[in-house]
Amino acid sequence: MQDTESHLALPAPRGLRLARERLLLPLALMLLVVSLSAAISLGAVPVETRTVWGVVANKLWPGLVEQTWSAGREAIVWEIRAPRALLAVMVGAGLALVGASLQSVTRNPLADPHLLGISSGGAFGAILALLHTGLFLGTLTVPLFAFVGALGATGIVLAVSRFTRSTSADRLVLAGVAVSFIVMAGANVLIFLGDPKAAHTVVFWMLGGLGIAQWAHLGYPLAVLLGAGIWLWLRRAEFNAMTVGDETAATLGIAVARFRLASFVVGALVTGVMVAFSGIIGFVGLMVPHIVRLICGGDYRVVLPASALVGGIFLLWADIVARTVLAPEDLPIGVVTGLVGGLFFIWVLGRRA
């Protein structure tokens, strides 16, 4: 088996790599805008692109564009699809950032919040809040419980890996998968013991979806994404050093154990909040950083912002597929990402053989 480190930073000719770095972020940003437009336009009721941007322009600057569309079209664009598309961008960006950071601090190309059990812990916390404790803290209850659940699952994975001496990259993933199964078993018990009339609502967290997106709720994932994104960006040099190895990072003055723990806590926070609003969406954190590194190499100065942009783009198109393939019914987005991610996972394993 090839060395794990080689998959975290694929080499490329310096000139080609620099050209890709300069082009990747602007192109990804333009593609994100195009994808947002498509996500709002496409669906069971198609809406013309000019109508989409006309509605958006009038909402931001009233009277800027002459209204030629119906009130129904405006409601579809602004009240339903726009917040859903923005939530897709935030969730995709957040999960991709977590995946990129975990792959660095664990030196494991297969690290992902889903495979390491963090997403399952977030779902456990959300289900506990919905079916058993009630929203006693208001709208903050589910995100807070999801974060605590994700953090708890992270702690269990680290404890299991230490107890079983699973220090290698592959065994850490196996520990995460085992914990994920245990936590999801606990979540199923919570569902079984909960109100049968309300239990069907938690299927959303089991399969993943963006259907509950509302403007009033977007502030929470946005705040967490911005805060975590800034924290990760400011530590891009540490992530670069961690990909080389603990000893090298330590010689550069990095408190390796503390930095790894902090990265896991930030990852649990982001994953927990995203799971609270989107359910379990797997493999985004696994796939996106790999794709970015294939294009521009392993420098986290580029990997982090590019992963956020590409993650948002990927989840937008996954949601488009989920909304259109069985229209007017919505296919759970976790089904789409699971199918694509499973195939990608097999491809990664094949490359490492």
Side-chain angles (χ1 to χ4, degrees):
M1 182 175 290
Q2 299 176 11
D3 185 20
T4 301
E5 299 168 35
S6 63
H7 295 276
L8 292 179
L10 297 175
R14 180 174 175 80
L16 179 59
R17 180 174 57 81
L18 291 176
R20 288 175 175 178
E21 287 180 1
R22 294 191 186 100
L23 290 174
L24 179 59
L25 294 181
L27 288 177
L29 189 57
M30 288 189 291
L31 184 56
L32 179 62
V33 174
V34 172
S35 301
L36 271 171
S37 179
I40 300 174
S41 298
L42 299 176
V45 179
V47 179
E48 292 184 353
T49 302
R50 62 181 180 181
T51 299
V52 169
W53 291 110
V55 171
V56 172
N58 268 1
K59 289 294 182 178
L60 298 178
W61 300 280
L64 181 64
V65 179
E66 180 183 358
Q67 183 169 342
T68 59
W69 53 84
S70 66
R73 284 282 198 275
E74 180 171 314
I76 290 173
V77 169
W78 189 252
E79 300 298 335
I80 300 176
R81 293 184 186 170
R84 179 170 180 151
L86 291 175
L87 180 61
V89 173
M90 295 178 199
V91 173
L95 295 179
L97 283 173
V98 173
S101 62
L102 291 180
Q103 287 168 17
S104 169
V105 297
T106 63
R107 294 173 58 214
N108 186 345
L110 302 180
D112 167 83
H114 182 62
L115 291 178
L116 291 179
I118 302 175
S119 295
S120 299
F124 180 94
I127 292 169
L128 178 63
L130 288 168
L131 294 184
H132 295 280
T133 68
L135 304 182
F136 63 94
L137 296 176
T139 56
L140 283 175
T141 308
V142 175
L144 182 60
F145 270 64
F147 165 60
V148 173
L151 188 61
T154 302
I156 295 173
V157 171
L158 295 177
V160 168
S161 64
R162 178 172 296 182
F163 174 75
T164 59
R165 299 176 182 176
S166 302
T167 56
S168 69
D170 295 331
R171 290 177 66 84
L172 180 62
V173 170
L174 291 177
V177 171
V179 170
S180 179
F181 276 111
I182 295 171
V183 172
M184 288 311 300
N188 289 331
V189 171
L190 292 179
I191 295 172
F192 178 76
L193 297 177
D195 182 1
K197 295 180 180 179
H200 71 279
T201 61
V202 303
V203 173
F204 166 82
W205 273 269
M206 309 294 284
L207 300 179
L210 302 170
I212 67 168
Q214 300 177 26
W215 285 110
H217 297 160
L218 296 185
Y220 301 117
L222 178 61
V224 170
L225 178 62
L226 291 177
I230 292 171
W231 187 89
L232 294 171
W233 167 252
L234 292 176
R235 285 153 182 81
R236 57 195 181 276
E238 285 92 331
F239 285 116
N240 281 332
M242 292 291 288
T243 62
V244 180
D246 289 2
E247 292 182 1
T248 301
T251 59
L252 295 175
I254 298 173
V256 173
R258 184 183 304 172
F259 180 68
R260 181 177 288 118
L261 178 60
S263 298
F264 269 102
V265 171
V266 171
L269 172 62
V270 175
T271 303
V273 172
M274 298 307 167
V275 165
F277 292 98
S278 68
I280 299 177
I281 298 178
F283 295 108
V284 177
L286 171 67
M287 291 185 291
V288 172
H290 273 280
I291 294 170
V292 170
R293 284 192 291 264
L294 282 171
I295 297 172
C296 66
D299 188 349
Y300 271 70
R301 177 179 54 86
V302 180
V303 168
L304 288 172
S307 293
L309 291 172
V310 176
I313 293 168
F314 170 75
L315 206 59
L316 276 173
W317 284 100
D319 187 49
I320 290 172
V321 172
R323 288 189 290 108
T324 56
V325 69
L326 294 178
E329 298 294 329
D330 280 8
L331 184 70
I333 194 172
V335 174
V336 178
T337 61
L339 176 61
V340 177
L343 295 174
F344 189 90
F345 189 82
I346 294 172
W347 176 77
V348 170
L349 290 177
R351 294 187 74 249
R352 300 183 69 214

